[in-house]
Amino acid sequence: MSEDIEKKLETIPKAIFFDEKEDRFFILDQTKLPVEEVIEEQKDLNQVYDSIYMLKVRGAPAIGIAGAYGLLISLKEHIDRPLDEFIKIVEQNAEYLNSSRPTAVNLSWALNKLSKIAKNFPKSSSSKELYKAIRDEAIAIHKSDIKTCREIGENGAELIKEGFGVLTLCNAGALATGGIGTALAPMYVAWSKGVRFKAYSSETRPLLQGARITCWELNKFGVDTTMIADSVSSYLMKLGKVDMIVVGADRVANNGDTANKIGTLSLAVNAKHYGIPFYIACPYSTIDVDTKTGDGIVVEERGAQELIYIKGQQIAPKDIKVFNPAFDVTDNSLISGFITEKGIIRAPYDFSKSAKSE
Ligand code: MRU
C-alpha cells in the first residue's frame, strides 16, 4: 500500500481510545452520532457496563476491546489489595461486564482471556504485577484488532469490482471495531485503491446504526453512499442495483450459522432469491467454535421503548406489545463466504479446524 493510502486510511474515525501514559479509557459516544461527536471518559465499572448496554460503544469487536479496558480501569482502585482478593475482583468484574450484552462473543472472548491470566497468575506475585499483565493483554487485544481489520479489508477488497453496488446493514465499520471495520474495511481498501462502486447503507431500525453511523463513516471518507429504508432492500436487488452484500457478525457458530443485526436474515434470503453473493466479514475472535450451530446462540431482546419512541418522540401506543430482538441468525446455506483475516472461507464450514487456539 502506498503511503498516501495509509495516510488516508488513518483519517477514518475511531471508537476507542486508551491513554497508555495514564491508563485512561475513552469512547466516542455513538448514541449522539451523527449530530454530535462527543468523547466520553470511562471512569468506573458501572459506567462501562451502561455504555455497552446503551450502545454508546457497540459492534462485536469494539465491545470486546471496551470490555477489556473497562475491566482494567475498574481494577485501578484495588491494586494495593492482597493478590487473592484482587483475583476475585477481576473475576467478579469480568462476569458483571460480560452480562451487559449476550450475543457478541467478542465480549466474553476478551474478558475470558483476562480472567484466565488472573486465574493462572503465579501466587508469589503482587497485584500490581497482575494489573500490568492484564493491561498488556488489553492493549494487545486492541492492537491485534487494528491489524485484523486491515487484513479483512485487503482480503475482501478483491471481491469489490468497478461499478458494483455493495449493500450493507447496521454498522460493521471502524466504529464497531478497534480498526477500520469488518464489513466496511473491504470498501475502504477498494475505494482507496481507486475502485469506484456504490455503497448502499440500510438504515437499520430501530436504533438506526446504518443511517447514523455507517452513512456518517462512509460519507466522511468520500465513498459514494446511498441510504435506503430497510424495507427497500429487496426492491433494490430486484432493480439489479446490488452486486454484493457484505455485513458483519456478532457470533458465528462452528457450522457457519451467523448472528448479526436484525434484518440480516431477510437480506440473505432475498440475496439467494436474486442470486446475489452474500458475505459475512468478521475476525476469528467472532467465531465461537464451542457453539455448534446457530440454535445455540442467545439472541439479545431489547426493551419496547426502542420501538415505541424515536429520539423521545412517541410513535406507537405506549401499551402496545413489542417484539424487539437485536439480532437474528442466518443459516450457513445462505452465506457465500466469510471474509476473515485468514482469507475468504467458503463452505463447508467447520471452523474448529482453522480457529486459533486462544
Ligand atoms: O447492536 P449493535 O450495534 O452492537 O450491532 C452491531 C452489529 O450487528 C454488527 O454488524 C456486528 O457487531 C459486527 S461489528 C464489526
Side-chain angles (χ1 to χ4, degrees):
M1 275 247 177
S2 78
E3 231 175 78
D4 282 356
I5 294 181
E6 287 300 338
K7 271 198 189 138
K8 176 95 175 116
L9 290 173
E10 270 165 32
T11 65
I12 296 173
K14 293 180 179 52
I16 291 171
F17 310 86
F18 186 67
D19 174 351
E20 291 191 29
K21 277 197 193 125
E22 297 188 31
D23 288 9
R24 290 169 69 189
F25 166 39
F26 304 83
I27 58 165
L28 173 65
D29 178 354
Q30 298 186 39
T31 59
K32 296 200 161 66
L33 289 175
V35 180
E36 279 181 281
E37 286 174 48
V38 177
I39 304 285
E40 187 183 270
E41 180 164 10
Q42 305 295 294
K43 292 189 173 162
D44 62 52
L45 186 71
N46 289 328
Q47 187 187 2
V48 176
Y49 179 99
D50 288 348
S51 293
I52 296 174
Y53 179 72
M54 289 158 60
L55 275 64
K56 286 185 173 186
V57 58
R58 44 143 304 279
I63 64 174
I65 300 164
Y69 284 140
L71 178 63
L72 182 75
I73 55 135
S74 79
L75 300 175
K76 271 183 176 177
E77 61 181 303
H78 302 292
I79 211 157
D80 293 323
R81 294 200 190 211
L83 184 66
D84 55 339
E85 278 181 32
F86 190 78
I87 293 174
K88 268 196 199 120
I89 294 169
V90 174
E91 286 170 347
Q92 277 165 10
N93 289 3
E95 206 179 310
Y96 175 63
L97 284 176
N98 192 29
S99 66
S100 56
R101 293 195 79 189
T103 305
V105 71
N106 302 64
L107 182 59
S108 56
W109 171 84
L111 290 167
N112 286 342
K113 268 183 159 212
L114 302 186
S115 293
K116 228 188 238 171
I117 292 175
K119 210 175 177 175
N120 301 327
F121 212 62
K123 300 292 169 264
S124 55
S125 318
S126 68
S127 300
K128 261 193 193 110
E129 286 167 310
L130 175 53
Y131 175 87
K132 180 166 182 317
I134 289 175
R135 176 187 185 278
D136 290 348
E137 187 59 34
I139 293 171
I141 289 171
H142 190 180
K143 292 204 166 138
S144 139
D145 192 58
I146 295 172
K147 182 169 171 279
T148 300
C149 288
R150 282 301 301 276
E151 290 163 350
I152 291 173
E154 292 290 337
N155 294 335
E158 307 289 313
L159 298 166
I160 303 178
K161 308 287 178 224
E162 185 74 25
F164 260 28
V166 184
L167 172 62
T168 191
L169 174 78
C170 191
N171 174 265
L175 294 189
T177 66
I180 63 167
T182 61
L184 299 194
M187 298 197 211
Y188 284 131
V189 172
W191 191 268
S192 302
K193 289 182 174 171
V195 180
R196 291 295 168 257
F197 59 91
K198 275 186 186 302
Y200 290 97
S201 170
S202 194
E203 60 173 349
T204 319
R205 276 279 288 147
L207 297 180
L208 300 168
Q209 293 93 326
R212 295 187 302 104
I213 309 173
T214 294
C215 288
W216 181 73
E217 266 195 55
L218 290 177
N219 222 27
K220 220 172 154 70
F221 196 73
V223 175
D224 177 353
T225 306
T226 303
M227 180 173 92
I228 57 163
D230 294 326
S231 46
V232 174
S233 57
S234 46
Y235 186 53
L236 194 74
M237 294 183 215
K238 190 181 168 78
L239 290 175
K241 291 184 186 287
V242 183
D243 298 286
M244 170 185 169
I245 298 172
V246 58
V247 296
D250 284 84
R251 188 182 297 246
V252 178
N254 190 53
N255 72 342
D257 291 347
T258 296
N260 189 50
K261 182 51 57 192
I262 192 73
T264 301
L265 175 59
S266 332
L267 287 185
V269 169
N270 283 311
K272 185 88 167 178
H273 181 77
Y274 288 108
I276 297 165
F278 178 90
Y279 289 97
I280 299 288
C282 68
Y284 263 75
S285 55
T286 304
I287 298 169
D288 177 9
V289 294
D290 296 330
T291 298
K292 298 294 165 225
T293 73
D295 293 342
I297 299 177
V298 176
V299 170
E300 175 185 6
E301 269 189 49
R302 296 183 62 89
Q305 72 286 354
E306 287 184 357
L307 279 177
I308 296 174
Y309 297 87
I310 296 182
K311 293 268 168 213
Q313 173 72 50
Q314 189 188 335
I315 57 149
K318 279 185 185 159
D319 57 353
I320 196 70
K321 283 191 279 179
V322 161
F323 176 47
N324 183 21
F327 304 99
D328 55 31
V329 180
T330 298
D331 312 69
N332 59 12
S333 59
L334 300 172
I335 298 169
S336 310
F338 289 82
I339 307 169
T340 75
E341 67 271 36
K342 297 184 186 183
I344 299 170
I345 316 285
R346 300 205 186 253
Y349 305 114
D350 177 0
F351 289 105
S352 61
K353 292 190 177 138
S354 52
K356 283 181 191 160
S357 54
E358 74 255 41

